[in-house]
Amino acid sequence: MKTVAVKSLLSLEILNKYFGNFAGVYGGFYPIGIVLIMMMAIGLAEKSGFITAAMRKMILGAPVQWIIAIVAFVGINANLASDAGVVFTPLVAAAMLKSIGMNPWIGIIAGYAAANGGYTANFFIAGTDALLAGITESICIGNNINYPISPLMNWYFLSAAVVVLTAVTVLVTKYCTVPHIAADGLPIDIPRKECGETISPLQVKGLRYAGLALLFWLAVILLLTLPADAILRADNGALLPRSPFLSGIIFTLFMAFLLPGIAYGRTVGTITNSKDVPAMMGTALKQNIMLIVIALTASIFIKLFNLSNLPTIVGFKGAELINQANLTGYPTLVIIVCLTAFFNLFIGSANAKWLMLAPIYIPMFTAVGFSPAMVTAAYRCGDSCTNPIAPLSTMLVVAIALFERFNVAPDKKEVGIGTVVAYSLPYTIFFFFAFLAMLACFYFFNIPLGPGAGVFM
């Protein structure tokens, strides 16, 4: 049996390791490289107009009877465009519903709740996946937890969450939101007004070329992975759990955003020469500069926390308490979701919360048998479901502004924080239970959470 003791951060040994490699601590912080690369690629796709146009095309081209389902689907996947997705989804949805003669508040509420409550769910790999995976990887390395980590480790779970949350959004909108609006004395049906949101023929052409660029890149990847002796397979011919394909997934994702973004930008004119590409990437990095600054503090905190041996001790003691309380198994996942959902009401940034909680969650819950991928998935469930009602969220102001702009009966209904929270609360409650049900399915049936990422260690 190995004895582990807490080490003083003021000891000569710790100070030598820290001060002697200060630049190395930051430079070697695993998430930094991933974040910078993904932010540049996704930023280019966003700045060229590709992501916004694709989302709008999906909503504006939807049949009337499927509007709410499409709004929910687009909103849940809109985190590809970061916070911009939370803005344009309810905005476009409101304009669409107004054009077909329905109260635009229905679209605002559904779009806002879906984009916020399903913020970490996605059919695609977003910057959030890369960053959270990087933080998880750092914690695993610091605690000698041997487990394959990649941005794809929760992909199956989050893809399933898109379908589940889309259905939940539709049902809550139909059976809670619409009756709530009617109970407030507001009309459900209003005079039709032409929608101001449109997609131009040039943008449609740009989306077509972007789709062809993406198909080209997918064909290249399939060519390099499908054959039994493909160069992106492991020596034994496998793709999972470890292979050059998975270890190089960041480059694959980088190109999957870069090529369509360039193709779209060149077509519609947002990219006119080669200088525009690095300029857009630079702008995206400037808008996310705080992540780079926060990473310095995070790298120092995680390094010193690991050197102190506190993660090992806290993890062991926490696991011991969980075992003594007979909370091993599925109830442990419920604890993770509940704690995270509570913290999320006061700390808006998902990345900041995971930087604080991962050094405690990962050692503690892997000690009782859960994989880092499962712990991260449970964290993401709690981090998403209470977003629509978080009082400190900056998006709350956006929602209030949209409610004011599309208020069809200002003499009957005043808008405030309480309006947004009251309409969003049913979504939060049902999203919470939907996430718990999904975790139960993956846990009890031992369904992989992503490529090479199981539920248990």
Side-chain angles (χ1 to χ4, degrees), residues 79 116-122 128-129 132 158 350 380-381 383-384 435:
N79 59 70
N116 267 295
Y119 191 78
T120 57
N122 212 313
T128 305
D129 300 283
L132 296 184
L158 298 177
R380 297 183 75 165
C381 291
D383 178 57
S384 281
F435 275 127

Side-chain angles (χ1 to χ4, degrees), residues 29-48:
F29 189 49
Y30 184 77
I32 277 291
I34 296 178
V35 170
L36 294 180
I37 290 170
M38 291 304 296
M39 286 299 178
M40 284 190 285
I42 295 174
L44 171 70
E46 182 184 351
K47 299 301 176 187
S48 68

Side-chain angles (χ1 to χ4, degrees), residues 11 22-24 100 167-168 189 220 228 250 253 264 277 301 306 373 445 452:
S11 67
F22 180 72
I100 62 174
V168 171
D189 298 316
V220 171
I250 294 300
L253 296 173
Y264 179 86
V277 173
F301 170 75
N306 287 334
F445 293 100

Side-chain angles (χ1 to χ4, degrees), residues 131-152:
L131 183 56
L132 296 184
I135 296 170
T136 302
E137 176 83 356
S138 296
I139 302 302
C140 288
I141 292 172
N143 288 275
N144 296 316
I145 299 171
N146 185 22
Y147 189 85
I149 303 293
S150 82
L152 294 173

Side-chain angles (χ1 to χ4, degrees), residues 1-5 144 309 312:
M1 181 180 290
K2 183 181 178 181
T3 302
V4 177
N144 296 316
N309 283 336
T312 303

Side-chain angles (χ1 to χ4, degrees), residues 208-274:
R208 186 182 305 120
Y209 282 116
L212 291 174
L214 181 58
L215 285 175
F216 166 76
W217 179 239
L218 290 176
V220 171
I221 294 301
L222 290 175
L223 184 65
L224 297 176
T225 55
L226 284 184
D229 58 347
I231 62 174
L232 292 184
R233 288 181 176 269
D235 293 338
N236 61 359
L239 282 174
L240 304 174
R242 290 183 173 90
S243 67
F245 170 69
L246 281 183
S247 61
I249 195 66
I250 294 300
F251 176 71
T252 301
L253 296 173
F254 176 81
M255 296 299 291
F257 284 101
L258 183 72
L259 294 178
I262 292 176
Y264 179 86
R266 290 287 295 175
T267 305
V268 302
T270 52
I271 296 177
T272 56
N273 56 62
S274 59

Side-chain angles (χ1 to χ4, degrees), residues 22-217:
F22 180 72
V25 170
Y26 181 54
F29 189 49
Y30 184 77
I32 277 291
I34 296 178
V35 170
L36 294 180
I37 290 170
M38 291 304 296
M39 286 299 178
M40 284 190 285
I42 295 174
L44 171 70
E46 182 184 351
K47 299 301 176 187
S48 68
F50 167 60
I51 291 179
T52 301
M55 296 293 185
R56 282 180 175 167
K57 176 65 176 174
M58 291 183 68
I59 294 177
L60 296 174
V64 172
Q65 63 270 26
W66 289 94
I67 279 289
I68 298 301
I70 299 298
V71 166
F73 178 84
V74 171
I76 292 166
N77 285 281
N79 59 70
L80 277 174
S82 188
D83 286 343
V86 183
V87 177
F88 74 68
T89 303
L91 175 59
V92 176
M96 273 299 297
L97 287 180
K98 191 173 183 179
S99 72
I100 62 174
M102 291 185 67
N103 192 322
W105 276 22
I106 300 172
I108 295 173
I109 298 159
Y112 176 77
N116 267 295
Y119 191 78
T120 57
N122 212 313
F123 271 149
F124 311 97
I125 302 301
T128 305
D129 300 283
L131 183 56
L132 296 184
I135 296 170
T136 302
E137 176 83 356
S138 296
I139 302 302
C140 288
I141 292 172
N143 288 275
N144 296 316
I145 299 171
N146 185 22
Y147 189 85
I149 303 293
S150 82
L152 294 173
M153 65 180 179
N154 290 148
W155 186 36
Y156 299 160
F157 181 85
L158 298 177
S159 296
V162 173
V163 178
V164 172
L165 296 184
T166 296
V168 171
T169 302
V170 171
L171 292 173
V172 173
T173 301
K174 180 177 180 180
Y175 294 107
C176 295
T177 302
V178 173
H180 191 168
I181 289 176
D184 281 344
L186 302 177
I188 301 300
D189 298 316
I190 63 173
R192 294 171 63 93
K193 186 175 182 180
E194 192 60 35
C195 177
E197 298 285 342
T198 59
I199 293 290
S200 69
L202 184 61
Q203 289 175 312
V204 172
K205 183 179 179 182
L207 289 174
R208 186 182 305 120
Y209 282 116
L212 291 174
L214 181 58
L215 285 175
F216 166 76
W217 179 239

